[in-house]
Amino acid sequence: MTRKVADCRKTPSDINCSLTIIGEEDEVVRAAVDHAVSAHAHEDTPELREQVRGMLENEAEASRSAMQFVQLIEFKTHRREELSELMTEWEDRTGGKRTATRAVLAEDHEQPDLYYELVEFPSYDEAIRNSHLPETEELSERMRNLCEGEPTFHNLDVVRAEAL
């Protein structure tokens, strides 16, 4: 049976909910309705259950469409461990608020201390919202203090993404 996905990020809310539920269809509907009632103050009605069921996506389709915008950050530092601690702190402080869905940090093989961080977002608007979080603004300032020179930011619209 095809697993289903309910993703709160695709439904605007006052609390900027980031919960994603994945499982068999009936499980996801049950859990998503429970969440809608407890976190979003909806009433558990047959109409709500049908609305939730209508919003579900197949897991494979949802994973292909999840990343629509990527920010590539290029920077140089000899202080990678401090930077890693800073990133872990940011992740802890922004749980439930951040809109970034995945981050990959890579070091250039030929140029030690040159790093690239690839941060994935559902959309450009979500990336902007994420960058305006007070914790992200603080992270950016503290990151600059650990880098040699200014980081370079590349804002990229995803035109194709494949799981290989």
Side-chain angles (χ1 to χ4, degrees), residues 36-91:
V37 169
S38 64
H40 299 282
H42 289 284
E43 255 186 74
D44 185 350
T45 64
E47 293 80 17
L48 176 63
R49 289 179 178 275
E50 282 310 304
Q51 183 180 21
V52 166
R53 193 174 300 278
M55 293 170 46
L56 299 182
E57 294 180 275
N58 290 334
E59 183 178 28
E61 293 166 9
S63 66
R64 278 195 296 272
S65 67
M67 173 186 48
Q68 300 297 320
F69 183 80
V70 175
Q71 188 169 68
L72 178 66
I73 308 165
E74 178 182 346
F75 58 94
K76 190 166 182 78
T77 185
H78 295 301
R79 300 164 71 180
R80 187 177 64 81
E81 289 304 319
E82 290 175 71
L83 184 67
S84 184
E85 290 170 11
L86 180 62
M87 295 302 297
T88 299
E89 178 186 328
W90 176 82
E91 289 169 8

Side-chain angles (χ1 to χ4, degrees), residues 7-38:
D7 188 344
C8 262
R9 294 171 300 181
K10 294 184 177 183
T11 305
S13 71
D14 292 338
I15 63 171
N16 296 321
C17 189
S18 65
L19 182 68
T20 300
I21 303 167
I22 303 172
E24 299 299 326
E25 184 170 338
D26 289 341
E27 295 173 317
V28 173
V29 169
R30 196 169 39 254
V33 167
D34 289 346
H35 171 71
V37 169
S38 64

Side-chain angles (χ1 to χ4, degrees), residues 113-139:
D113 300 324
L114 181 60
Y115 294 90
Y116 299 90
E117 184 167 33
L118 186 75
V119 185
E120 299 176 1
F121 297 91
S123 68
Y124 173 77
D125 291 338
E126 292 296 318
I128 294 300
R129 195 172 87 190
N130 192 78
S131 70
H132 291 320
L133 292 173
E135 297 87 352
T136 303
E137 291 174 352
E138 180 186 336
L139 166 76

Side-chain angles (χ1 to χ4, degrees), residues 146-160:
L146 297 176
C147 292
E148 299 168 23
E150 276 296 303
T152 302
F153 292 82
H154 303 275
N155 295 313
L156 310 168
D157 293 314
V158 175
V159 295
R160 182 176 173 179

